[in-house]
């Protein structure tokens, strides 16, 4: 084989005597890691701090719910009523944050860190317009929402006050999420974790101090959220600056590509969150005739499942970051191998998660609820469904990746078929079996059948690569 002219010449020292005890030949270089292993390692380095950040966010929510539960009889009731409306903010927040992450990942691939700040500011401008409109709607319509939810007389005034202030504060909370998404898009996942930790610690500390120390009770929540948003945004901008993504005096003109990213990435993400919300309500409706314990058990199992599937969503996001960086760099030959590496890594992770959940379903259910009947119902659901997570985990990786690389329309269609099929078939199975097990087995079978999404993901990735190569060929 001819020598590589780009490599420095290697000096060879040959022995002139057969008696020489020293082998002076240069040893061969260590073999490089196989390509799939390198892709999996790159995904894993992003995914680990991202998973930790999601867990921190989940635990923060649980701590706040527990604290609110000790702030008076109406506090938890009012906050529970706000949650469905707050999810609208969360859906828009997620849509714009993921759009920012995708745009920044592609800028990373193009080696254009100077694009990060203008992209982030452009997304912020969109949020100000959309978020302000939503805040006005909720604030002005607060009395109407109180009537719609049949809020009790004792909590009526408090609900209206809480809804109005939390909607205003939610408008401020986009800063930390946006900065964290920009950092992740450029591969700074650990900095994103630091930002999440700062926001969570500040919020919990202020709620504890004001809610219990000064007696403000649930009135401490909007104050804590506002301070948390300000502190998180300041920390996020500082981290962007330290990472070299924002320079002093840098201008931030409107980025025309912003709306394109929102249309191709953000809208499908928001639509998926809306579909999931409707799906959860529909399943509670299907199980309603079987009593409070069954509904409570299913809700408990759903909470466990939300935590279990979190690694899949993060792995899908991390894989998409790597692929979008490769797309930005024009390295399309690495896109399909990266997709395969992300899916294989998900199979390995969820083989462990599925087995642990199945074997530990009883103690897990008892830990999540103190009601024996609800715990038994939750354990029953996990016993039937949990082993199918070994397939559902990789499927969620593929769907998340589709949303993040421009295939969100396909992901939405697949989600509608999956969730709609579960509701329709589950309702029929429940009636036929006269047991909630009919729904649980429907979900289990659907999880296995949903493996078709892996093929859909692979097909879209191949199409993405082929179109990019045709475009490059046409440009030449």
């Amino acid at each position: 084989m001819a020598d590589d002219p780009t490599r420095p010449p290697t000096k060879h020292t040959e022995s002139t005597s057969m008696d020489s005890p020293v082998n002076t030949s240069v040893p061969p270089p260590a073999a490089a890691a196989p390509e799939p292993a390198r892709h999996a390692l790159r995904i894993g380095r992003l995914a680990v701090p991202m998973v930790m950040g999601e867990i921190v966010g989940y635990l923060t929510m649980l701590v706040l719910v527990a604290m609110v539960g000790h702030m008076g009889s109406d506090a938890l009731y009012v906050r529970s009523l706000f949650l469905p409306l707050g999810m609208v903010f969360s859906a828009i927040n997620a849509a714009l944050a993921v759009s920012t992450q995708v745009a920044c990942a592609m800028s990373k691939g193009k080696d254009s860190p100077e694009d990060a700040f203008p992209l982030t500011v452009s997304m912020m401008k969109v949020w100000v317009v959309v978020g302000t409109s939503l805040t006005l709607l909720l604030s002005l319509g607060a009395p109407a929402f109180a009537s719609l939810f049949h809020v009790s007389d004792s909590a009526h005034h408090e609900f209206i006050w809480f809804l109005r202030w939390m909607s205003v504060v939610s408008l401020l909370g986009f800063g930390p999420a946006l900065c964290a998404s920009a950092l992740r898009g450029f591969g700074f996942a650990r900095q994103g974790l630091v930002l999440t930790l700062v926001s969570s610690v500040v919020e919990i500390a202020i709620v504890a101090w004001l809610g219990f120390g000064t007696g403000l009770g649930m009135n401490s929540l909007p104050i804590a959220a506002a301070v948390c948003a300000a502190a998180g945004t300041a920390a996020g901008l500082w981290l962007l600056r330290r990472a070299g993504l924002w320079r002093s005096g840098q201008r931030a003109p409107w980025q025309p590509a912003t709306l394109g990213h929102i249309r191709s990435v953000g809208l499908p993400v928001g639509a998926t969150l809306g579909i999931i919300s409707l799906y959860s309500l529909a399943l509670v409706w299907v199980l309603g005739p079987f009593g409070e314990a069954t509904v409570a058990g299913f809700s408990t199992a759903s909470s466990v499942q939300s935590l279990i599937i979190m690694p899949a969503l993060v792995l899908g996001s991390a894989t998409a970051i790597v692929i979008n960086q490769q797309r930005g760099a024009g390295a399309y030959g690495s896109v399909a191998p990266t997709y395969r590496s992300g899916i294989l890594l998900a199979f390995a992770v969820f083989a462990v998660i599925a087995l642990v959940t199945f074997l530990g379903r009883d103690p897990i259910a008892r830990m999540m609820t103190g009601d024996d009947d609800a715990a038994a119902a939750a354990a029953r659901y996990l016993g039937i469904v949990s082993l199918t997570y070994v397939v559902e985990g990789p499927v969620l990786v593929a769907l998340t990746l589709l949303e993040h690389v421009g295939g969100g329309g396909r992901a939405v269609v697949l989600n509608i078929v999956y969730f709609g099929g579960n509701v329709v078939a589950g309702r029929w199975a429940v009636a036929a079996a006269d047991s909630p097990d009919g729904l649980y087995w429907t979900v289990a079978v659907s999880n296995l059948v949903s493996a078709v999404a892996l093929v859909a993901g692979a097909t879209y990735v191949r199409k993405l690569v082929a179109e990019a190569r045709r475009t490059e060929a046409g440009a030449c």
Side-chain angles (χ1 to χ4, degrees), residues 64 68 71 74-86 89 138-139 142 151 155-170 203 207 216-225:
L64 289 175
V68 170
M71 290 180 178
D74 288 332
L76 191 58
Y77 171 62
V78 169
R79 187 183 185 278
S80 299
L81 291 172
F82 171 74
L83 281 180
L85 300 173
F89 276 104
L138 294 182
S139 297
V151 178
H156 190 271
H157 174 74
E158 194 169 21
F159 170 77
I160 292 176
W161 180 92
F162 188 76
L163 175 58
R164 285 174 171 167
W165 277 108
M166 283 302 295
S167 61
V168 172
V169 169
S170 296
E203 187 169 12
V207 170
L216 279 179
M218 71 174 301
N219 294 338
S220 63
L221 290 177
I223 298 173

Side-chain angles (χ1 to χ4, degrees), residues 104-330:
C104 287
M106 297 189 72
S107 296
K108 164 71 173 178
K110 296 174 183 175
D111 195 21
S112 302
E114 67 277 3
D115 291 344
F117 188 63
L119 283 168
T120 303
V121 173
S122 294
M123 290 291 178
M124 179 65 74
K125 292 175 181 176
V126 175
W127 169 255
V128 169
V129 173
V130 177
T132 300
S133 302
L134 181 58
T135 296
L136 290 174
L137 174 64
L138 294 182
S139 297
L140 297 176
F145 285 113
S147 300
L148 177 66
F149 292 156
H150 304 290
V151 178
S152 62
D153 292 339
S154 62
H156 190 271
H157 174 74
E158 194 169 21
F159 170 77
I160 292 176
W161 180 92
F162 188 76
L163 175 58
R164 285 174 171 167
W165 277 108
M166 283 302 295
S167 61
V168 172
V169 169
S170 296
L171 182 62
L172 306 176
F174 188 54
L178 200 62
C179 292
S181 295
L183 288 165
R184 285 194 298 267
F186 270 85
F188 297 106
R190 285 178 293 181
Q191 287 84 339
L193 172 60
V194 170
L195 186 52
T196 301
L197 284 170
V198 169
S199 300
S200 297
V201 169
V202 169
E203 187 169 12
I204 290 173
I206 293 178
V207 170
W209 172 47
L210 294 178
F212 299 108
T214 67
L216 279 179
M218 71 174 301
N219 294 338
S220 63
L221 290 177
I223 298 173
V227 175
C228 177
T233 301
L237 292 172
W238 179 75
L239 288 169
L240 285 174
R241 189 152 186 174
R242 281 201 45 138
L245 304 181
W246 173 40
R247 298 188 303 273
S248 178
Q250 182 181 1
R251 297 182 60 193
W254 169 256
Q255 302 296 296
T258 299
L259 296 181
H261 286 299
I262 293 173
R263 184 173 57 253
S264 63
V265 177
L267 290 180
V269 169
T272 296
L273 291 174
I275 292 169
I276 291 173
S277 299
L278 294 174
Y279 172 69
S280 299
L281 292 174
L283 291 193
V284 169
W285 168 71
V286 170
L287 295 174
F290 295 98
E292 293 182 5
T294 298
V295 172
F298 173 75
S299 297
T300 300
S302 296
S303 298
V304 174
Q305 188 167 267
S306 296
L307 186 59
I308 287 171
I309 67 174
M310 192 182 296
L313 305 180
V314 172
L315 277 173
S317 182
T319 305
I321 288 174
V322 175
I323 287 179
N324 283 324
Q325 290 175 355
Q326 292 166 344
R327 291 170 64 200

Side-chain angles (χ1 to χ4, degrees), residues 325-415:
Q325 290 175 355
Q326 292 166 344
R327 291 170 64 200
Y332 286 96
S334 298
V335 170
T338 300
Y339 173 79
R340 288 194 296 270
S341 296
I343 297 300
L344 291 174
L345 184 59
F347 271 113
V349 169
F350 275 88
V352 176
I353 289 177
L355 184 61
V356 170
T357 305
F358 177 75
L359 296 177
R361 59 192 182 278
D362 290 319
I364 290 172
R366 287 195 298 269
M367 181 177 64
M368 292 295 294
T369 178
D371 185 282
D372 290 340
D373 292 335
R380 179 63 179 169
Y381 175 89
L382 293 175
I384 293 173
V385 174
S386 60
L387 288 179
T388 65
Y389 293 152
V390 72
V391 174
E392 187 63 8
V395 165
L396 289 172
V397 170
L399 292 174
T400 302
L401 186 141
L402 278 174
E403 291 175 346
H404 290 204
V405 298
R410 298 187 182 201
V412 169
V413 171
L414 289 169
N415 279 322

Side-chain angles (χ1 to χ4, degrees), residues 33-49:
E35 187 178 35
R38 285 190 286 111
H39 291 313
L41 182 61
R42 188 175 175 186
I43 294 168
R45 284 175 176 169
L46 281 171
V48 169

